[in-house]
Amino acid sequence: MTLCLQYLIVYHQATNHVDRQTVRAFSGILGLRTGNLMIYLHYFILFGISLFTVALKFISEESAQPFFTASCLYGGIFLFYIGLWLANRYNRIIINGRVVGFFIATTIAGFLAASLWPSFATFTISIAVVTLANAACLTHYMLRHNN
């Protein structure tokens, strides 16, 4: 753990040093961006997938607490969506607030359903409905704004 933390600190310092040198060298160019955010936003995606995987392991276990399982499941989805939202600035089409609001509302509704009625069927059906609804919303938005 400490080795990973040390690596992150050294890498952050090195990229900031390169960014400062690049900005100094090209100080006449406004809006210079390096894309270092893409490196850091993948931590949200990685931790989200890890939490989701932990929740999938706990769903079928009798000894696991249902609220903890639902929290891991939807916490992982939420972190994954944060990573995707941060990557939005690199996309061709910028997602508007309605789509983000829909994602937040469906994720919270799924979490509440899984927390209030904890069972294997509720977990699997709620996560399937949430991810399919969010994928359909995003697909509809992208098809409508792609032309």
Side-chain angles (χ1 to χ4, degrees), residues 53-74:
T53 306
V54 165
L56 289 179
K57 172 73 174 137
F58 285 146
I59 283 176
S60 61
E61 304 240 347
E62 293 292 326
S63 62
Q65 295 292 327
F67 185 75
F68 177 74
T69 305
S71 298
C72 284
L73 186 67
Y74 285 97

Side-chain angles (χ1 to χ4, degrees), residues 16-67:
N16 277 348
H17 177 69
V18 169
D19 288 347
R20 283 191 296 267
Q21 286 182 339
T22 306
V23 169
R24 247 184 257 124
F26 299 103
S27 60
I29 301 173
L30 296 175
L32 181 64
R33 306 220 179 205
T34 60
N36 283 335
L37 179 66
M38 286 294 280
I39 296 167
Y40 295 114
L41 64 86
H42 281 88
Y43 292 128
F44 289 103
I45 294 171
L46 178 67
F47 292 142
I49 291 172
S50 297
L51 270 177
F52 188 81
T53 306
V54 165
L56 289 179
K57 172 73 174 137
F58 285 146
I59 283 176
S60 61
E61 304 240 347
E62 293 292 326
S63 62
Q65 295 292 327
F67 185 75

